[in-house]
Amino acid sequence: MSSSPLPEQTQIPAEFALLAFDMEKYSKIPEARMESTRSDVDDIVAGVLADCGLPDPQRLPHSYKDGGDGAILLFPPEVLARIIDPLLGRLSAALARYDQQRLASSPLVRLRVAVHAGPVTGPGLRSGNALVDVSRLLDSQAVRQALQSAADMRGFLAGVLSETAYQRCVHGGYTPELAPLHFAQATARVSDKPGYQALCHLHVPGMPGAALTPYLDEEPSPGSSEAGSPAGPGPSGAAPSAASASQGGGIQFHAPLYGATVGGHIERVRNTYPGR
């Protein structure tokens, strides 16, 4: 006797790598300049994607979710590591070049960037917890505070990785230019979402993770979890602690430093699918 087909809702949706970005203080840009500034950012992002050998989600059905001051981009899951390294460093460098060339009257552009991975559902790929999670990471106080640290160093980008993305890629050893010492572990919270907190990992190109900690309200408590779930173990079988994430054989820099030296900060610290 042949078995009946499973209902569609019992099938696990396809997984994607998610990259979300948002422009700092977009609402304060004069309305007459909003469109041109956003177009410049889209061009910068598209150029960096091409430079990293990544597909442009705007050319793929349902893989680009515009948010006005930013967007969520969907990629095949196998490129998750590449949207962390080298993309974050190259995007930071591209924003720095843009700032050097812009007119004094043009708006300053800084970006918050979030990276996550998970299933996305629906015929228009517009549903699923992964989209919610990456949006909340992008809006979290932790990455906003990290962007302030970047601004103080004359940088233009702060990135936040979900625990899932961090464990799979950085802790898994798939980001050759980025090691745990380049990240600061934190708890992502959103001011108007009191029930939300998630373990996350912050990165500002050109800065060691330890230099970010003075900007953070608090360190994550032991046993902190992402969206209420225990942090997943890495290849060694145990999730790294905040202390171990900031240790390394020395500080390495893989992107230009802007303004004051990182030492000044350390003294204050006694870390596609194609559309269906």
Side-chain angles (χ1 to χ4, degrees):
M1 181 175 63
S2 60
S3 60
S4 59
L6 292 174
E8 183 179 349
Q9 57 266 29
T10 66
Q11 299 179 15
I12 298 176
E15 184 169 292
F16 291 84
L18 293 85
L19 174 74
F21 69 87
D22 186 270
M23 298 170 60
E24 180 190 43
K25 299 178 180 178
Y26 180 76
S27 62
K28 296 184 178 181
I29 296 175
E31 184 176 353
R33 293 182 177 272
M34 281 183 171
E35 177 59 31
S36 61
T37 304
R38 175 58 199 275
S39 293
D40 287 347
V41 170
D42 286 341
D43 290 344
I44 292 169
V45 171
V48 172
L49 290 176
D51 187 47
C52 295
L54 292 163
D56 184 351
Q58 293 201 61
R59 299 179 180 273
L60 299 170
H62 311 305
S63 292
Y64 186 90
K65 319 296 183 186
D66 196 301
D69 55 355
I72 301 176
L73 288 58
L74 306 183
F75 297 92
E78 61 267 21
V79 305
L80 179 60
R82 263 194 286 163
I83 63 176
I84 300 169
D85 177 26
L87 186 140
L88 293 179
R90 294 184 184 181
L91 182 55
S92 177
L95 291 168
R97 291 193 297 271
Y98 175 82
D99 189 70
Q100 293 169 357
Q101 298 167 1
R102 69 180 176 91
L103 298 175
S105 59
S106 298
L108 183 147
V109 173
R110 290 194 178 97
L111 298 183
R112 303 190 311 276
V113 179
V115 179
H116 184 39
V120 181
T121 67
L125 297 178
R126 59 183 184 180
S127 304
N129 289 335
L131 291 172
V132 175
D133 291 340
V134 78
S135 297
R136 290 182 176 176
L137 286 171
L138 189 66
D139 199 34
S140 68
Q141 293 302 313
V143 73
R144 292 176 184 273
Q145 291 159 355
L147 188 58
Q148 183 57 55
S149 75
D152 286 353
M153 296 293 291
R154 295 181 59 201
F156 303 93
L157 180 145
V160 57
L161 275 57
S162 68
E163 175 71 356
T164 298
Y166 179 85
Q167 287 292 334
R168 290 183 184 178
C169 300
V170 181
H171 192 252
Y174 294 102
T175 54
E177 298 298 325
L178 295 178
L181 64 88
H182 297 108
F183 294 82
Q185 184 173 285
T187 300
R189 295 184 176 89
V190 181
S191 58
D192 61 349
K193 306 290 182 185
Y196 171 79
Q197 70 173 36
L199 187 64
C200 67
H201 301 264
L202 303 167
H203 174 63
V204 172
M207 295 178 65
L212 306 183
T213 55
Y215 291 86
L216 305 180
D217 287 339
E218 59 184 63
E219 290 298 299
S221 58
S224 292
S225 60
E226 181 180 7
S229 303
S236 63
S241 65
S244 65
S246 64
Q247 292 173 351
I251 297 175
Q252 303 176 15
F253 300 99
H254 301 283
L257 295 178
Y258 303 101
T261 64
V262 170
H265 287 270
I266 295 176
E267 288 177 3
R268 297 168 57 188
V269 187
R270 277 284 180 227
N271 167 20
T272 50
Y273 285 133
R276 295 171 296 170

